[in-house]
Amino acid sequence: QVQLVESGGGSVQAGGSLRLSCEASLYVYSMNCMGWFRQAPGKEREGVATIKRDGNTRYADSVKGRFTISQANAKNTLYLQMNSLKSEDTGMYYCAAGPRSSCDTFYGFGYWGQGTQVTVSS
């Protein structure tokens, strides 16, 4: 069964940290690219970070130096460590899986989780 389940969202003050987790079914986790996306109210969904199975990562300019994407292969789990959070980081965060090319373009992800809400207050 294809499944991605996010957790770890919540409310935090600006400057704080959160760690998101995404537990994936084995089939999904075996795909060559996984990523994190977010969608703020009234805005389009945007790519935040991606990671290939070889560990190669890519980040949106807005989160570089503050967010870190990682994976725990033994647990089929994807993480997003978010530090120095800003109010503009507020939104629903989704994890996704797709082919290797998706990691370079932030497009083409075929599998999505239900999302976890992150709210950053200033």
Side-chain angles (χ1 to χ4, degrees):
Q1 182 179 0
V2 175
Q3 190 173 22
L4 291 162
V5 180
E6 302 96 335
S7 62
S11 296
V12 65
Q13 289 192 331
S17 298
L18 283 173
R19 188 195 196 199
L20 305 184
S21 299
C22 173
E23 187 171 348
S25 61
L26 182 59
Y27 172 76
V28 174
Y29 195 76
S30 66
M31 302 195 76
N32 288 318
C33 173
M34 296 194 74
W36 287 99
F37 289 74
R38 67 186 180 189
Q39 187 168 19
K43 294 187 177 181
E44 293 186 355
R45 187 168 59 193
E46 62 174 350
V48 175
T50 63
I51 185 167
K52 297 177 181 177
R53 287 194 59 79
D54 61 8
N56 197 308
T57 59
R58 185 181 180 95
Y59 296 92
D61 289 342
S62 59
V63 306
K64 283 181 181 177
R66 300 188 299 123
F67 290 12
T68 303
I69 188 172
S70 62
Q71 54 195 7
N73 293 334
K75 299 180 180 180
N76 296 347
T77 302
L78 179 73
Y79 300 102
L80 185 68
Q81 178 67 44
M82 306 187 294
N83 299 328
S84 302
L85 283 162
K86 305 175 181 179
S87 56
E88 51 262 45
D89 294 319
T90 293
M92 186 70 76
Y93 282 69
Y94 301 89
C95 71
R100 183 177 176 86
S101 59
S102 295
C103 271
D104 297 321
T105 64
F106 287 104
Y107 287 99
F109 286 85
Y111 302 98
W112 295 86
Q114 294 300 307
T116 185
Q117 177 68 36
V118 171
T119 303
V120 184
S121 58
S122 57

mmCIF file of all heavy atoms in Angstrom, residues 36-67:
data_model
loop_
_atom_site.group_PDB
_atom_site.id
_atom_site.type_symbol
_atom_site.label_atom_id
_atom_site.label_comp_id
_atom_site.label_asym_id
_atom_site.label_seq_id
_atom_site.Cartn_x
_atom_site.Cartn_y
_atom_site.Cartn_z
ATOM 1 N N TRP A 36 10.091 17.568 0.532
ATOM 2 C CA TRP A 36 9.147 18.306 1.371
ATOM 3 C C TRP A 36 8.639 19.515 0.592
ATOM 4 O O TRP A 36 9.420 20.219 -0.054
ATOM 5 C CB TRP A 36 9.812 18.778 2.659
ATOM 6 C CG TRP A 36 10.071 17.696 3.650
ATOM 7 C CD1 TRP A 36 11.245 17.036 3.866
ATOM 8 C CD2 TRP A 36 9.130 17.142 4.579
ATOM 9 N NE1 TRP A 36 11.087 16.104 4.859
ATOM 10 C CE2 TRP A 36 9.795 16.151 5.319
ATOM 11 C CE3 TRP A 36 7.782 17.392 4.863
ATOM 12 C CZ2 TRP A 36 9.174 15.408 6.326
ATOM 13 C CZ3 TRP A 36 7.159 16.658 5.855
ATOM 14 C CH2 TRP A 36 7.856 15.675 6.582
ATOM 15 N N PHE A 37 7.350 19.737 0.698
ATOM 16 C CA PHE A 37 6.701 20.879 0.082
ATOM 17 C C PHE A 37 5.874 21.593 1.146
ATOM 18 O O PHE A 37 5.590 21.023 2.207
ATOM 19 C CB PHE A 37 5.778 20.429 -1.052
ATOM 20 C CG PHE A 37 6.510 19.928 -2.267
ATOM 21 C CD1 PHE A 37 7.124 18.694 -2.260
ATOM 22 C CD2 PHE A 37 6.572 20.702 -3.407
ATOM 23 C CE1 PHE A 37 7.810 18.237 -3.372
ATOM 24 C CE2 PHE A 37 7.243 20.250 -4.532
ATOM 25 C CZ PHE A 37 7.862 19.020 -4.513
ATOM 26 N N ARG A 38 5.483 22.820 0.869
ATOM 27 C CA ARG A 38 4.607 23.534 1.793
ATOM 28 C C ARG A 38 3.643 24.404 1.014
ATOM 29 O O ARG A 38 3.916 24.811 -0.112
ATOM 30 C CB ARG A 38 5.418 24.385 2.770
ATOM 31 C CG ARG A 38 6.173 25.551 2.144
ATOM 32 C CD ARG A 38 7.058 26.218 3.172
ATOM 33 N NE ARG A 38 7.795 27.344 2.616
ATOM 34 C CZ ARG A 38 8.765 27.996 3.254
ATOM 35 N NH1 ARG A 38 9.108 27.621 4.496
ATOM 36 N NH2 ARG A 38 9.374 29.012 2.678
ATOM 37 N N GLN A 39 2.518 24.685 1.661
ATOM 38 C CA GLN A 39 1.517 25.553 1.051
ATOM 39 C C GLN A 39 0.949 26.466 2.112
ATOM 40 O O GLN A 39 0.368 25.999 3.103
ATOM 41 C CB GLN A 39 0.402 24.732 0.395
ATOM 42 C CG GLN A 39 -0.569 25.584 -0.381
ATOM 43 C CD GLN A 39 -1.483 24.760 -1.262
ATOM 44 O OE1 GLN A 39 -1.655 23.561 -1.056
ATOM 45 N NE2 GLN A 39 -2.056 25.393 -2.277
ATOM 46 N N ALA A 40 1.138 27.753 1.910
ATOM 47 C CA ALA A 40 0.580 28.750 2.813
ATOM 48 C C ALA A 40 -0.818 29.119 2.335
ATOM 49 O O ALA A 40 -1.138 28.971 1.152
ATOM 50 C CB ALA A 40 1.475 29.983 2.844
ATOM 51 N N PRO A 41 -1.668 29.609 3.224
ATOM 52 C CA PRO A 41 -3.026 29.998 2.833
ATOM 53 C C PRO A 41 -3.006 31.007 1.698
ATOM 54 O O PRO A 41 -2.290 32.006 1.751
ATOM 55 C CB PRO A 41 -3.589 30.614 4.117
ATOM 56 C CG PRO A 41 -2.820 29.969 5.217
ATOM 57 C CD PRO A 41 -1.444 29.768 4.672
ATOM 58 N N GLY A 42 -3.768 30.719 0.664
ATOM 59 C CA GLY A 42 -3.868 31.632 -0.466
ATOM 60 C C GLY A 42 -2.698 31.604 -1.416
ATOM 61 O O GLY A 42 -2.629 32.400 -2.360
ATOM 62 N N LYS A 43 -1.756 30.694 -1.198
ATOM 63 C CA LYS A 43 -0.581 30.620 -2.057
ATOM 64 C C LYS A 43 -0.468 29.240 -2.676
ATOM 65 O O LYS A 43 -1.068 28.281 -2.203
ATOM 66 C CB LYS A 43 0.681 30.946 -1.267
ATOM 67 C CG LYS A 43 0.751 32.382 -0.767
ATOM 68 C CD LYS A 43 2.103 32.670 -0.136
ATOM 69 C CE LYS A 43 2.204 34.123 0.308
ATOM 70 N NZ LYS A 43 3.533 34.421 0.897
ATOM 71 N N GLU A 44 0.326 29.164 -3.745
ATOM 72 C CA GLU A 44 0.553 27.883 -4.376
ATOM 73 C C GLU A 44 1.539 27.045 -3.553
ATOM 74 O O GLU A 44 2.360 27.580 -2.805
ATOM 75 C CB GLU A 44 1.108 28.084 -5.785
ATOM 76 C CG GLU A 44 0.126 28.713 -6.743
ATOM 77 C CD GLU A 44 0.668 28.765 -8.167
ATOM 78 O OE1 GLU A 44 1.828 28.396 -8.379
ATOM 79 O OE2 GLU A 44 -0.090 29.175 -9.067
ATOM 80 N N ARG A 45 1.436 25.751 -3.732
ATOM 81 C CA ARG A 45 2.376 24.861 -3.084
ATOM 82 C C ARG A 45 3.776 25.079 -3.654
ATOM 83 O O ARG A 45 3.934 25.230 -4.863
ATOM 84 C CB ARG A 45 1.938 23.407 -3.273
ATOM 85 C CG ARG A 45 2.752 22.390 -2.511
ATOM 86 C CD ARG A 45 2.068 21.040 -2.540
ATOM 87 N NE ARG A 45 1.875 20.557 -3.895
ATOM 88 C CZ ARG A 45 1.101 19.534 -4.221
ATOM 89 N NH1 ARG A 45 0.446 18.890 -3.265
ATOM 90 N NH2 ARG A 45 0.984 19.154 -5.468
ATOM 91 N N GLU A 46 4.782 25.064 -2.784
ATOM 92 C CA GLU A 46 6.148 25.280 -3.233
ATOM 93 C C GLU A 46 7.078 24.208 -2.671
ATOM 94 O O GLU A 46 6.867 23.681 -1.578
ATOM 95 C CB GLU A 46 6.654 26.660 -2.801
ATOM 96 C CG GLU A 46 6.719 26.865 -1.295
ATOM 97 C CD GLU A 46 7.347 28.187 -0.904
ATOM 98 O OE1 GLU A 46 7.903 28.888 -1.772
ATOM 99 O OE2 GLU A 46 7.286 28.525 0.300
ATOM 100 N N GLY A 47 8.104 23.911 -3.442
ATOM 101 C CA GLY A 47 9.091 22.949 -2.986
ATOM 102 C C GLY A 47 9.989 23.539 -1.925
ATOM 103 O O GLY A 47 10.403 24.702 -2.036
ATOM 104 N N VAL A 48 10.301 22.754 -0.917
ATOM 105 C CA VAL A 48 11.157 23.202 0.180
ATOM 106 C C VAL A 48 12.526 22.532 0.096
ATOM 107 O O VAL A 48 13.552 23.205 0.129
ATOM 108 C CB VAL A 48 10.503 22.886 1.537
ATOM 109 C CG1 VAL A 48 11.446 23.231 2.683
ATOM 110 C CG2 VAL A 48 9.181 23.632 1.685
ATOM 111 N N ALA A 49 12.520 21.210 -0.003
ATOM 112 C CA ALA A 49 13.787 20.479 -0.048
ATOM 113 C C ALA A 49 13.552 19.105 -0.637
ATOM 114 O O ALA A 49 12.458 18.544 -0.506
ATOM 115 C CB ALA A 49 14.379 20.348 1.356
ATOM 116 N N THR A 50 14.575 18.576 -1.299
ATOM 117 C CA THR A 50 14.512 17.224 -1.829
ATOM 118 C C THR A 50 15.789 16.478 -1.485
ATOM 119 O O THR A 50 16.840 17.085 -1.227
ATOM 120 C CB THR A 50 14.332 17.208 -3.357
ATOM 121 O OG1 THR A 50 15.473 17.825 -3.969
ATOM 122 C CG2 THR A 50 13.072 17.933 -3.778
ATOM 123 N N ILE A 51 15.681 15.151 -1.503
ATOM 124 C CA ILE A 51 16.853 14.314 -1.249
ATOM 125 C C ILE A 51 16.779 13.070 -2.119
ATOM 126 O O ILE A 51 15.740 12.423 -2.205
ATOM 127 C CB ILE A 51 16.968 13.950 0.247
ATOM 128 C CG1 ILE A 51 18.254 13.187 0.530
ATOM 129 C CG2 ILE A 51 15.747 13.163 0.725
ATOM 130 C CD1 ILE A 51 18.578 13.082 2.024
ATOM 131 N N LYS A 52 17.879 12.767 -2.789
ATOM 132 C CA LYS A 52 17.966 11.568 -3.601
ATOM 133 C C LYS A 52 18.403 10.395 -2.725
ATOM 134 O O LYS A 52 18.881 10.580 -1.613
ATOM 135 C CB LYS A 52 18.964 11.783 -4.740
ATOM 136 C CG LYS A 52 18.557 12.872 -5.710
ATOM 137 C CD LYS A 52 19.609 13.088 -6.778
ATOM 138 C CE LYS A 52 19.191 14.195 -7.733
ATOM 139 N NZ LYS A 52 20.219 14.482 -8.756
ATOM 140 N N ARG A 53 18.274 9.201 -3.248
ATOM 141 C CA ARG A 53 18.639 8.025 -2.465
ATOM 142 C C ARG A 53 20.133 8.018 -2.146
ATOM 143 O O ARG A 53 20.552 7.445 -1.143
ATOM 144 C CB ARG A 53 18.256 6.754 -3.200
ATOM 145 C CG ARG A 53 16.754 6.504 -3.202
ATOM 146 C CD ARG A 53 16.414 5.109 -3.631
ATOM 147 N NE ARG A 53 17.007 4.096 -2.782
ATOM 148 C CZ ARG A 53 16.528 3.754 -1.596
ATOM 149 N NH1 ARG A 53 15.487 4.372 -1.101
ATOM 150 N NH2 ARG A 53 17.112 2.796 -0.911
ATOM 151 N N ASP A 54 20.931 8.694 -2.986
ATOM 152 C CA ASP A 54 22.367 8.754 -2.698
ATOM 153 C C ASP A 54 22.715 9.863 -1.704
ATOM 154 O O ASP A 54 23.885 10.082 -1.405
ATOM 155 C CB ASP A 54 23.166 8.947 -3.996
ATOM 156 C CG ASP A 54 22.819 10.247 -4.709
ATOM 157 O OD1 ASP A 54 22.083 11.072 -4.145
ATOM 158 O OD2 ASP A 54 23.295 10.439 -5.841
ATOM 159 N N GLY A 55 21.690 10.558 -1.204
ATOM 160 C CA GLY A 55 21.898 11.584 -0.192
ATOM 161 C C GLY A 55 22.062 12.990 -0.729
ATOM 162 O O GLY A 55 22.160 13.948 0.050
ATOM 163 N N ASN A 56 22.079 13.146 -2.037
ATOM 164 C CA ASN A 56 22.209 14.471 -2.639
ATOM 165 C C ASN A 56 20.969 15.304 -2.328
ATOM 166 O O ASN A 56 19.848 14.853 -2.552
ATOM 167 C CB ASN A 56 22.384 14.325 -4.145
ATOM 168 C CG ASN A 56 22.924 15.571 -4.782
ATOM 169 O OD1 ASN A 56 22.391 16.650 -4.575
ATOM 170 N ND2 ASN A 56 23.981 15.432 -5.548
ATOM 171 N N THR A 57 21.174 16.516 -1.844
ATOM 172 C CA THR A 57 20.048 17.352 -1.417
ATOM 173 C C THR A 57 19.950 18.633 -2.235
ATOM 174 O O THR A 57 20.916 19.079 -2.857
ATOM 175 C CB THR A 57 20.167 17.727 0.069
ATOM 176 O OG1 THR A 57 21.402 18.432 0.262
ATOM 177 C CG2 THR A 57 20.140 16.499 0.953
ATOM 178 N N ARG A 58 18.752 19.190 -2.208
ATOM 179 C CA ARG A 58 18.490 20.461 -2.879
ATOM 180 C C ARG A 58 17.511 21.244 -2.024
ATOM 181 O O ARG A 58 16.579 20.669 -1.475
ATOM 182 C CB ARG A 58 17.921 20.232 -4.278
ATOM 183 C CG ARG A 58 17.716 21.485 -5.102
ATOM 184 C CD ARG A 58 17.130 21.127 -6.457
ATOM 185 N NE ARG A 58 16.917 22.301 -7.297
ATOM 186 C CZ ARG A 58 17.780 22.716 -8.194
ATOM 187 N NH1 ARG A 58 18.899 22.070 -8.388
ATOM 188 N NH2 ARG A 58 17.518 23.785 -8.920
ATOM 189 N N TYR A 59 17.716 22.557 -1.913
ATOM 190 C CA TYR A 59 16.857 23.388 -1.071
ATOM 191 C C TYR A 59 16.349 24.610 -1.813
ATOM 192 O O TYR A 59 17.034 25.151 -2.680
ATOM 193 C CB TYR A 59 17.632 23.873 0.166
ATOM 194 C CG TYR A 59 18.064 22.775 1.100
ATOM 195 C CD1 TYR A 59 19.301 22.167 0.968
ATOM 196 C CD2 TYR A 59 17.219 22.344 2.119
ATOM 197 C CE1 TYR A 59 19.696 21.154 1.817
ATOM 198 C CE2 TYR A 59 17.612 21.335 2.991
ATOM 199 C CZ TYR A 59 18.852 20.742 2.832
ATOM 200 O OH TYR A 59 19.234 19.739 3.686
ATOM 201 N N ALA A 60 15.162 25.050 -1.438
ATOM 202 C CA ALA A 60 14.682 26.339 -1.914
ATOM 203 C C ALA A 60 15.548 27.429 -1.284
ATOM 204 O O ALA A 60 16.017 27.285 -0.152
ATOM 205 C CB ALA A 60 13.224 26.532 -1.503
ATOM 206 N N ASP A 61 15.759 28.504 -2.021
ATOM 207 C CA ASP A 61 16.612 29.586 -1.521
ATOM 208 C C ASP A 61 16.110 30.136 -0.181
ATOM 209 O O ASP A 61 16.903 30.529 0.673
ATOM 210 C CB ASP A 61 16.671 30.720 -2.545
ATOM 211 C CG ASP A 61 17.473 30.343 -3.778
ATOM 212 O OD1 ASP A 61 18.259 29.377 -3.710
ATOM 213 O OD2 ASP A 61 17.305 31.011 -4.811
ATOM 214 N N SER A 62 14.822 30.135 0.003
ATOM 215 C CA SER A 62 14.231 30.732 1.202
ATOM 216 C C SER A 62 14.541 29.956 2.480
ATOM 217 O O SER A 62 14.369 30.500 3.577
ATOM 218 C CB SER A 62 12.715 30.857 1.037
ATOM 219 O OG SER A 62 12.147 29.582 0.805
ATOM 220 N N VAL A 63 14.979 28.707 2.347
ATOM 221 C CA VAL A 63 15.225 27.892 3.548
ATOM 222 C C VAL A 63 16.675 27.461 3.687
ATOM 223 O O VAL A 63 17.032 26.815 4.683
ATOM 224 C CB VAL A 63 14.314 26.648 3.583
ATOM 225 C CG1 VAL A 63 12.850 27.054 3.447
ATOM 226 C CG2 VAL A 63 14.702 25.630 2.519
ATOM 227 N N LYS A 64 17.503 27.788 2.716
ATOM 228 C CA LYS A 64 18.913 27.395 2.776
ATOM 229 C C LYS A 64 19.578 27.911 4.043
ATOM 230 O O LYS A 64 19.409 29.066 4.407
ATOM 231 C CB LYS A 64 19.656 27.910 1.545
ATOM 232 C CG LYS A 64 19.412 27.109 0.291
ATOM 233 C CD LYS A 64 20.200 27.676 -0.883
ATOM 234 C CE LYS A 64 19.936 26.883 -2.148
ATOM 235 N NZ LYS A 64 20.639 27.466 -3.329
ATOM 236 N N GLY A 65 20.319 27.034 4.707
ATOM 237 C CA GLY A 65 21.001 27.412 5.936
ATOM 238 C C GLY A 65 20.147 27.293 7.183
ATOM 239 O O GLY A 65 20.671 27.389 8.300
ATOM 240 N N ARG A 66 18.848 27.088 7.008
ATOM 241 C CA ARG A 66 17.945 26.971 8.166
ATOM 242 C C ARG A 66 17.295 25.592 8.253
ATOM 243 O O ARG A 66 17.050 25.091 9.347
ATOM 244 C CB ARG A 66 16.840 28.031 8.075
ATOM 245 C CG ARG A 66 17.340 29.460 8.061
ATOM 246 C CD ARG A 66 16.188 30.458 8.156
ATOM 247 N NE ARG A 66 15.253 30.347 7.049
ATOM 248 C CZ ARG A 66 13.948 30.109 7.180
ATOM 249 N NH1 ARG A 66 13.431 29.910 8.384
ATOM 250 N NH2 ARG A 66 13.177 30.059 6.118
ATOM 251 N N PHE A 67 17.001 24.989 7.113
ATOM 252 C CA PHE A 67 16.336 23.684 7.086
ATOM 253 C C PHE A 67 17.322 22.614 6.632
ATOM 254 O O PHE A 67 18.197 22.867 5.807
ATOM 255 C CB PHE A 67 15.162 23.697 6.108
ATOM 256 C CG PHE A 67 13.983 24.519 6.544
ATOM 257 C CD1 PHE A 67 14.047 25.399 7.614
ATOM 258 C CD2 PHE A 67 12.781 24.426 5.850
ATOM 259 C CE1 PHE A 67 12.963 26.158 8.002
ATOM 260 C CE2 PHE A 67 11.679 25.177 6.227
ATOM 261 C CZ PHE A 67 11.778 26.042 7.302
#
